[in-house]
Amino acid sequence: MVHGGAGRDGAEPDGAGRDGAAERWARDVRTLRVIGAGAMGRGIAQLAAAGGVTVELADVRPEAVRDAVEHVSGMFDRLVAKGRMTAADAAAAKERLRPVGEPLTPLGECDLVVEAVREDMDTKRELFAALEKACPPKTVLATNTSSLPVTAIGAALADPSRLAGLHFFNPVPLMRLVEVIPGARTAGWIPDALAALVRRLGHEPVRAPDAPGFLVNHAGRGLVTEALQILAEGAAEPVDVDRIARDVLGLKMGPCELLDLTGMDVSHPVMESVWTGFYTEPRLRPSRVGRARLEAGLLGRKTGEGFYAYPDGGAKREPAEITPPADAERRPVWIHEDAAGGGEPGARETLGALLAAADVEVESGDGPSDRAVVLVTPYGEPGGAVAVREGLPPERTLSVDPLGGFFTRLTLGVHPAVDRAAGRSAVAALAATGRPVSVVRDGPAPVAQRLLASVVNVACGIAEQGLARPADIDTAVRLGLGYPRGPLEWGDHVGAETVLDILEGLSLGTGDPRYRPSTWLTERAGLGLPLTETGTRPADLLS
């Protein structure tokens, strides 16, 4: 650990410098005080009480403490009714809930204080300055801040080494991830000790940097900022972006749905905060689309309208899937395959078999007939550019995104020179396969490729800067954001070289530095190393 030394008041436990000290401290924690009896405080209290820790609940409002104890006790009763907790365990957990009223009620028994008050720097600083005077030296202090710098909060303390971030996610009992965030002067033993306590309570800790967005919110910028960029370019509609994200990438929720759920009044300020916090790093740049929707009050579910409408506060109203044009001419299809030119190896065989099984005529041979619709399957390159480069008829050439292997949704890219009759024939041919079809504008890369490359590249940037370990990046994103894979694992699954091809194509096609490939990615793609491995560092040769 490199985050400072022990506290001046002797907060470091006996033997903290030896192996197992963190685990011993976590095992010996008996009493925890939660300050703030709102949704987060209640969740933390429920988790800790169920995990065998006595929880003192405190709040400046006495009625909030009473309501919190009643709420948490009710949650234990629900778990018993659902068969997820025994009546004896629930009764014991309730006994461990202690309403103590005021936050500064004597804290002599507390091993740890977790602050869960409102996100305001002055409020938190004032509280911790008072807690430092009221707590015995052994008590560790933790803030559940989701966005404020831990180092800045700790600056109000005479001994900032006692303070660390312990960021739970809502709802706490269900969201297993907890970010453990050392400040610049946090004592070196504390993050490991807090991580051990989190594991004792049945949750999963990750070490996060005291940097804008910490780890989850930083890594999450890859998806939503690129989705908004796609919308800003007019390349696809929100519903198409979401459907492609769900069906091709396997996300539980598309980025526009996610923004509607969290609310643009929450999401856009976070995007701006992370972007400015990293001194306008282009990979994290927000979009004018988000700012405009925020100013228009199109916040999402909470206002009944965002990217989707939510009639009467209910489920979103999503447009129906497209239907193939009834008057589309049945034409043969010829599939171009050129792996050396950025195409998908095996695309002719895979996509061709899919179309043939749907009774679509698939031409063989070295080139298309005069009537055939031409399908190309590039990575990081516009379909129109492939047509020009390969001498294919642009008016009859469209792109189909190969990412995902054509097994779910088919994404058809349309460039301006496409003959409309040929394009309609292409839509009908793809729809005949029974797969849903999204029709979007041809661009420097298909929608799914852009989203995935951005997710992987932002995560590689986090690893490159040494802000978090690769394993913590992947765990944080899987558990905190619900992605099917961690971003570095995902990059390895698709292939670092493929992700690099997509980013280089986007960079060349747009000139936008947001697509600058991370050194972490370029080095590993060139050396054949996994994105998930740190590899050899200079310090490794000196230890």
Side-chain angles (χ1 to χ4, degrees):
M1 298 299 301
V2 294
H3 301 286
R8 293 196 304 269
D9 295 326
E12 182 173 323
D14 292 340
R18 297 190 296 270
D19 292 342
E23 287 72 17
R24 286 195 297 275
W25 179 87
R27 180 193 62 216
D28 293 341
V29 168
R30 295 288 179 265
T31 304
L32 178 157
R33 178 169 296 184
V34 177
I35 299 178
M40 292 301 299
R42 293 174 179 185
I44 296 167
Q46 179 182 331
L47 177 69
V53 177
T54 296
V55 180
E56 297 181 350
L57 271 164
D59 197 288
V60 293
R61 297 172 298 124
E63 68 277 8
V65 175
R66 291 194 300 270
D67 290 346
V69 172
E70 182 178 340
H71 172 84
V72 175
S73 297
M75 293 303 296
F76 289 139
D77 291 337
R78 286 189 186 182
L79 292 172
V80 172
K82 294 179 179 180
R84 298 178 183 174
M85 194 176 199
T86 67
D89 286 343
K94 291 179 186 179
E95 286 295 321
R96 289 190 284 269
L97 293 172
R98 295 182 183 174
V100 297
E102 290 293 323
L104 298 180
T105 300
L107 294 112
E109 297 299 318
C110 284
D111 301 293
L112 172 67
V113 175
V114 179
E115 164 272 312
V117 303
R118 66 191 181 95
E119 282 290 272
D120 177 76
M121 179 64 76
D122 290 339
T123 299
K124 292 181 187 290
R125 280 180 164 178
E126 181 180 349
L127 174 61
F128 278 112
L131 284 170
E132 182 179 36
K133 297 175 183 177
C135 290
K138 68 165 187 168
T139 305
V140 175
L141 306 177
T143 173
N144 184 56
T145 181
S146 60
S147 60
L148 300 175
V150 174
T151 299
I153 295 172
L157 301 179
D159 180 15
S161 70
R162 301 175 68 179
L163 177 71
L166 196 61
H167 179 212
F168 293 85
F169 291 79
N170 195 34
V172 175
L174 299 180
M175 294 292 287
R176 292 180 50 237
L177 183 74
V178 182
E179 292 181 315
V180 178
I181 309 145
R185 300 189 65 182
T186 299
W189 66 273
I190 287 179
D192 288 338
L194 291 176
L197 177 62
V198 168
R199 284 190 291 267
R200 171 187 164 186
L201 299 179
H203 275 31
E204 185 72 29
V206 295
R207 185 71 57 87
D210 190 20
F214 300 144
L215 184 47
V216 172
N217 279 330
H218 184 174
R221 296 317 91 200
L223 178 69
V224 292
T225 57
E226 185 59 24
L228 291 171
Q229 180 65 27
I230 291 168
L231 297 181
E233 295 171 9
E237 295 297 319
V239 69
D240 292 313
V241 174
D242 282 347
R243 286 170 173 167
I244 290 167
R246 292 195 308 257
D247 295 347
V248 179
L249 299 182
L251 298 177
K252 296 177 182 178
M253 184 176 290
C256 299
E257 294 174 293
L258 177 61
L259 290 168
D260 271 4
L261 178 63
T262 56
M264 194 60 77
D265 57 329
V266 174
S267 297
H268 187 77
V270 169
M271 283 185 265
E272 290 193 335
S273 174
V274 174
W275 178 59
T276 56
F278 281 98
Y279 295 95
T280 65
E281 162 58 52
R283 294 186 191 120
L284 307 173
R285 188 176 65 236
S287 168
R288 61 173 178 79
V289 172
R291 168 57 61 183
R293 299 184 79 82
L294 173 62
E295 292 173 346
L298 298 170
L299 307 183
R301 289 178 183 267
K302 64 182 67 176
T303 58
E305 188 175 6
F307 291 104
Y308 300 91
Y310 300 87
D312 302 320
K316 76 175 185 296
R317 181 182 293 161
E318 184 171 312
E321 293 277 6
I322 66 167
T323 56
D327 60 346
E329 178 186 2
R330 287 178 62 90
R331 297 195 188 190
V333 172
W334 184 83
I335 302 169
H336 173 261
E337 181 171 82
D338 177 16
E344 169 71 358
R348 178 177 292 178
E349 179 180 356
T350 305
L351 183 56
L354 186 65
L355 291 166
D359 200 29
V360 175
E361 180 184 351
V362 179
E363 293 185 346
S364 58
D366 294 333
S369 68
D370 291 340
R371 291 187 61 253
V373 171
V374 178
L375 299 180
V376 297
T377 58
Y379 279 106
E381 187 177 16
V386 175
V388 173
R389 188 188 72 233
E390 298 297 321
L392 302 171
E395 70 278 4
R396 291 186 281 126
T397 300
L398 301 95
S399 66
V400 180
D401 186 4
L403 191 66
F406 315 110
F407 294 117
T408 53
R409 178 174 298 274
L410 300 175
T411 305
L412 185 68
V414 182
H415 61 77
V418 168
D419 174 75
R420 295 183 182 183
R424 291 164 72 86
S425 295
V427 173
L430 295 182
T433 66
R435 267 67 167 174
V437 178
S438 289
V439 181
V440 300
R441 197 182 76 194
D442 187 37
V447 171
Q449 293 182 25
R450 293 180 64 167
L451 296 176
L452 178 60
S454 181
V455 167
V456 174
N457 200 35
V458 167
C460 285
I462 295 172
E464 176 188 331
Q465 297 172 71
L467 296 177
R469 298 176 303 175
D472 281 345
I473 296 170
D474 281 340
T475 298
V477 169
R478 281 198 315 270
L479 297 181
L481 299 176
Y483 291 8
R485 291 183 174 89
L488 302 177
E489 298 170 326
W490 211 345
D492 283 338
H493 176 74
V494 173
E497 298 87 352
T498 297
V499 177
L500 184 58
D501 285 344
I502 296 168
L503 288 168
E504 288 179 340
L506 285 163
S507 184
L508 179 64
T510 66
D512 191 336
R514 75 181 289 117
Y515 302 113
R516 180 183 82 258
S518 162
T519 301
W520 186 276
L521 174 64
T522 57
E523 282 184 338
R524 281 154 181 75
L527 295 169
L529 295 176
L531 298 177
T532 50
E533 292 186 10
T534 301
T536 303
R537 299 164 297 181
D540 296 329
L541 307 184
L542 305 175
S543 59

